Amino acid sequence: MPDGVSYDELLAKANSEHEGFGREFEPFARFADEPSYGTRIRSTVEGLLNEGFKLADAERSLRDLETLRTKYTGKKSALAALKKSIGRVDDSVKRADIGFRLLQVDTSITERLERVRLHLNEIVAELRTERDRIDVTLPGRRP
């Protein structure tokens, strides 16, 4: 049977993973607000356009966000390895406690990533609509 794992060690690693995610999540923090609908998304997009944010930037942010999601919640992530080692904690009370803490960390990371993904998808859709907009008041071409 494998040796027991220290509760304190797992807790420190879980907290370290959560803090590491927080640092890498900073570039996406401005998109962490609840997704806006209607005029709110329009004003958000106008503000981003004024900052020089373009459709390509939004699409790149979505790809980067997916990479971050894979890094922190994927099958081979450090968090997944910590979850696998829960069963090696000797004390059942501490095992339950560390399991709950890891669940909290995983849920926190997943919710933040999903909120930003939804918001970025709305921004991308709005930017694509803006790009494809046609001014119907301009004269057309004669066939």
Side-chain angles (χ1 to χ4, degrees):
M1 175 157 179
D3 295 334
V5 176
S6 165
Y7 167 81
D8 295 327
E9 180 183 335
L10 280 179
L11 187 60
K13 287 180 181 178
N15 290 335
S16 174
E17 280 298 305
H18 197 243
E19 290 168 7
F21 171 77
R23 283 189 300 276
E24 290 191 48
F25 186 77
E26 283 179 19
F28 303 102
R30 67 181 176 167
F31 304 114
D33 299 334
E34 287 298 316
S36 336
Y37 299 100
T39 57
R40 286 187 56 206
I41 188 67
R42 185 74 213 133
S43 63
T44 301
V45 169
E46 286 174 1
L48 289 171
L49 289 172
N50 290 338
E51 294 174 17
F53 196 77
K54 297 188 181 343
L55 177 60
D57 298 328
E59 290 171 339
R60 186 177 329 102
S61 292
L62 272 173
R63 285 191 303 273
D64 293 346
L65 187 70
E66 182 61 24
T67 302
L68 191 65
R69 185 196 66 77
T70 302
K71 179 178 179 180
Y72 281 96
T73 64
K75 285 173 86 175
K76 296 182 181 181
S77 67
L79 194 58
L82 290 174
K83 288 179 188 178
K84 290 176 187 175
S85 61
I86 292 172
R88 297 190 343 225
V89 174
D90 293 330
D91 184 8
S92 64
V93 173
K94 288 185 177 181
R95 187 179 318 123
D97 187 45
I98 194 65
F100 182 70
R101 176 63 184 142
L102 287 173
L103 179 64
Q104 285 178 324
V105 169
D106 186 45
T107 303
S108 169
I109 290 172
T110 303
E111 286 177 353
R112 289 172 74 187
L113 288 169
E114 185 62 17
R115 195 171 330 131
V116 168
R117 186 188 67 78
L118 288 173
H119 201 192
L120 273 173
N121 278 334
E122 287 183 5
I123 290 169
V124 166
E126 187 67 26
L127 287 171
R128 284 183 180 150
T129 301
E130 184 68 31
R131 178 191 65 190
D132 297 339
R133 180 170 289 157
I134 299 172
D135 187 355
V136 294
T137 63
L138 294 176
R141 291 189 200 170
R142 290 192 172 244

